[in-house]
Amino acid sequence: MSGEYNICSLVVHLAPARADEAARAVAALPGVEIHARTADSRLVVTAVDQPGARAFDQIAEMHRTPGVVAASLVYHVFENTESDARDASPN
């Protein structure tokens, strides 16, 4: 990915009766990855901008997903790949 992009971390609370279905739907969203799932139906998720799929749009889609009770933004950073390349190159 080139240019600027968003990286977001969230805790997603699921309705226990629909947790499996909701987790599959969340995992299927472009740029979304589930990193952990708790026994009490919570997910630790990241959402990263993808070509044609902004992270914030995916977060909104999580809120509309049946079985999702809430999706709470925990962390957000706006990255620039050009500055990342400069930081990684030796001086």
Side-chain angles (χ1 to χ4, degrees):
M1 183 182 309
S2 64
E4 300 172 330
Y5 60 99
N6 294 285
I7 301 171
C8 302
S9 176
L10 304 101
V11 173
V12 181
H13 296 259
L14 308 175
R18 298 186 81 176
D20 291 336
E21 169 191 357
R24 283 191 299 275
V26 168
L29 294 170
V32 173
E33 184 176 345
I34 296 175
H35 299 278
R37 182 173 176 178
T38 66
D40 62 347
S41 301
R42 288 179 290 162
L43 306 175
V44 176
V45 173
T46 53
V48 179
D49 286 348
Q50 300 292 307
R54 303 287 297 186
F56 293 118
D57 294 333
Q58 301 315 318
I59 294 168
E61 187 60 32
M62 286 180 215
H63 283 280
R64 292 189 291 267
T65 300
V68 171
V69 175
S72 303
L73 184 65
V74 176
Y75 179 78
H76 171 259
V77 66
F78 191 68
E79 291 289 334
N80 183 321
T81 56
E82 292 155 4
S83 66
D84 293 345
R86 280 194 305 271
D87 293 343
S89 65
N91 292 335

